[in-house]
Amino acid sequence: MSRSAHPAGPRHADVLPEGHYSAPPADLNFLDPKVWAQTVTRGADGVVSVGGIDVKQLAEEFGTPAYVIDETDFRGRARAWRGAFGTDADVFYAGKAFLSRAVVRWLHEEGLNLDVCSGGELATALSAGMPADRIAFHGNNKSPAEIRRAIEAGVGRIVLDSFQEIVRVAHIARDLGTRQRVQIRVTVGVEAHTHEFIATAHEDQKFGIPLAGGQAAEAVRRALQLDGLELIGIHSHIGSQIFDMSGFEVAAHRVVGLLKDIRDEHGVELPEIDLGGGLGIAYTSDDDPREPHEIAKALTEIVTRECEAARLRTPRISVEPGRAIVGPTAFTLYEVGTIKPLDGLRTYVSVDGGMSDNIRTALYDAEYSVALVSRTSDAEPMLARVVGKHCESGDIVVRDAFLPADLAPGDLIAVPATGAYCRSMASNYNHVLRPPVVAVNDGEARVIVRRETEEDLLRLDVG
């Protein structure tokens, strides 16, 4: 296979077009531990391995594209979050980030709880043996059937998202002869520093009941009056991929203010406060996420201080990390296909996946890193755009990155930090088959979600 440099495409910082990138890195072979899972290393032969298995072996055995998840890293991050908050708080893994039965078992074994937001996620959790009382059920439009199934299963809490849902859950609980533990999701008007589509605490969006105008206070009144509900707390989630803790401070101040008003009006001190998730991870070397123990310390101090000022007993805190646990534990492995240099612009590097396995770049303008992983290279860096095989000009995996100028078809490249939302949001656009999820642990690899087949696609097509 030829390794000759491509004749076109910019390679020097002083001739690069504007884009989403920094200067070329000093070493294209370096794998930043902020971005890659903890057992990812590059061997003496230049081939990257994870959990003791090199990517060439993974590609040969499981094919590409493939999501590769480091089980050791996942478990380590889960333990770090559990340990950071201790026994006086609850850590709920946000299943929407990525959920499978293997992941549910890992969570159960590491002592974490789980939040789900659909009947399918609930079914996955229950089928894998997660105790129902350790499950929280989210969602802005839960169907009566989903609510009934959750209550019958004995879920630990349902997070109420609207006035209609307050009545709906109460009615179904009474019909089943039980009282359901619930929290009320409140939008507190905090604008998190995140993308518009993933900011969830300002009033102009679909989630929660606004604190403004007394709506949240009215929701509490109604919930306390209904026999089928046991109101245990207030829930607030301000957004996703957040690095700045100041938003949580403002949110906690407003939620504790609501708790004080509830105490003053109803003589009730609710025992729980859920601050949601949304803590950011490093997708590129420029990102600087906080460690779990720093986050736990900051959130605990914020809530304690606000409650002391309001003369309230400090409620039990819950948090919901999803991306922060699973995001850094996985990478997506691709094989390079067509390489198309555009003189004076950049080189387009096409891979055998694309927006069907990672929609986030197209949807959120998300930024990712990428590396050549099947060998090392001493070639000079070229500005590249990693794109997929779909019939869509927006089919971009990594918008701007530097790859070696001798990159060639058949090389393996990998995009790190794809554990969260990539498989969860995957599609069959252009009837492309969704990749498998391969778990690696201590020299062994196994499929935990298999690759789709053409038979899978055709089985659903009954025409």
Side-chain angles (χ1 to χ4, degrees):
M1 181 181 296
S2 172
R3 298 293 180 192
S4 60
H6 296 288
R11 298 176 194 162
H12 301 286
D14 57 351
V15 298
L16 294 177
E18 293 184 2
H20 297 230
Y21 50 83
S22 302
D27 181 4
L28 289 176
N29 300 308
F30 174 67
L31 302 175
D32 190 339
K34 282 204 310 184
V35 178
W36 295 84
Q38 64 180 16
T39 69
V40 173
T41 58
R42 192 182 291 276
D45 60 356
V47 180
V48 169
S49 66
V50 55
I53 304 178
D54 74 52
V55 294
K56 287 185 175 180
Q57 180 181 340
L58 291 171
E60 181 177 351
E61 183 173 354
F62 302 106
T64 58
Y67 304 107
V68 181
I69 185 168
D70 182 345
E71 180 181 343
T72 300
D73 196 48
F74 183 100
R75 288 179 178 272
R77 293 177 190 276
R79 284 194 296 271
W81 278 91
R82 177 65 273 172
F85 280 90
T87 58
D88 294 330
D90 293 308
V91 178
F92 285 79
Y93 172 79
K96 65 178 183 173
F98 171 66
L99 198 64
S100 72
R101 285 187 284 189
V103 164
V104 173
R105 287 191 287 270
W106 299 345
L107 295 168
H108 187 8
E109 292 166 4
E110 299 299 339
L112 270 68
N113 301 332
L114 172 65
D115 84 54
V116 300
C117 59
S118 73
E121 289 183 357
L122 177 61
T124 300
L126 295 174
S127 72
M130 176 63 75
D133 62 356
R134 287 169 51 190
I135 298 174
F137 192 18
H138 280 270
N140 69 298
N141 188 32
K142 309 174 193 71
S143 72
E146 288 175 324
I147 293 168
R148 180 173 291 272
R149 183 177 188 186
I151 295 174
E152 287 177 336
V155 298
R157 67 196 68 184
I158 293 177
V159 182
L160 303 175
D161 201 85
S162 67
F163 285 100
Q164 291 177 338
E165 193 166 84
I166 293 171
V167 177
R168 191 177 298 145
V169 172
H171 173 76
I172 294 172
R174 284 198 308 270
D175 186 52
L176 293 173
T178 189
R179 294 184 75 213
Q180 175 61 46
R181 288 162 56 89
V182 297
Q183 294 179 336
I184 293 176
R185 179 162 177 171
V186 176
T187 52
V188 295
V190 175
E191 183 68 59
H193 298 294
T194 185
H195 190 281
E196 176 188 356
F197 295 163
I198 51 178
T200 58
H202 58 84
E203 285 83 0
D204 189 12
Q205 47 92 24
K206 72 175 188 175
F207 293 107
I209 300 174
L211 186 63
Q215 293 187 63
E218 177 59 24
V220 169
R221 292 185 195 103
R222 298 185 189 185
L224 290 173
Q225 291 172 356
L226 294 170
D227 293 337
L229 304 180
E230 180 186 352
L231 181 60
I232 61 171
I234 300 297
H235 182 283
S236 169
H237 181 74
I238 63 173
S240 296
Q241 189 57 5
I242 301 167
F243 296 110
D244 185 356
M245 297 297 292
S246 61
F248 288 98
E249 187 160 4
V250 176
H253 174 75
R254 295 178 183 176
V255 170
V256 171
L258 176 60
L259 293 178
K260 178 180 181 297
D261 292 342
I262 294 168
R263 191 250 342 250
D264 293 345
E265 179 178 351
H266 305 283
V268 174
E269 292 196 30
L270 297 182
E272 294 186 2
I273 179 173
D274 192 319
L275 295 176
L279 282 306
I281 66 169
Y283 286 103
T284 73
S285 295
D286 292 334
D287 294 327
D288 191 20
R290 293 195 178 197
E291 294 296 322
H293 69 273
E294 296 176 308
I295 296 166
K297 183 176 184 293
L299 292 181
T300 301
E301 288 178 351
I302 290 168
V303 173
T304 300
R305 182 175 65 248
E306 294 294 333
C307 287
E308 288 176 351
R311 297 184 180 180
L312 286 168
R313 290 193 300 271
T314 302
R316 186 177 182 88
I317 297 172
S318 298
V319 291
E320 299 170 353
R323 180 202 318 262
I325 292 175
V326 71
T329 69
F331 61 82
T332 308
L333 184 64
Y334 299 104
E335 181 176 314
V336 173
T338 299
I339 299 175
K340 186 180 296 185
L342 298 182
D343 189 23
L345 293 173
R346 59 179 56 80
T347 297
Y348 279 75
V349 176
S350 297
V351 295
D352 51 356
M355 65 191 302
S356 59
D357 60 68
N358 187 349
I359 192 65
R360 295 187 68 256
T361 305
L363 189 62
Y364 301 141
D365 202 23
E367 295 185 37
Y368 284 93
S369 307
V370 63
L372 172 62
V373 293
S374 52
R375 61 183 176 90
T376 55
S377 173
D378 294 326
E380 61 181 320
M382 67 176 179
L383 178 63
R385 176 164 292 174
V386 180
V387 297
K389 61 185 293 180
H390 299 282
C391 190
E392 183 75 40
S393 59
D395 178 21
I396 299 170
V397 179
V398 183
R399 190 170 302 279
D400 294 296
F402 288 96
L403 286 167
D406 65 349
L407 193 74
D411 279 330
L412 298 177
I413 63 175
V415 176
T418 58
Y421 299 105
C422 291
R423 181 57 176 81
S424 295
M425 301 174 78
S427 74
N428 292 123
Y429 183 48
N430 292 153
H431 279 44
V432 170
L433 306 174
R434 284 180 287 189
V437 181
V438 179
V440 177
N441 184 34
D442 195 22
E444 296 184 1
R446 72 186 193 282
V447 172
I448 60 173
V449 179
R450 68 170 174 81
R451 185 184 300 279
E452 283 186 323
T453 64
E454 291 181 356
E455 288 73 22
D456 292 326
L457 283 180
L458 297 176
R459 189 176 295 119
L460 298 176
D461 189 340
V462 298

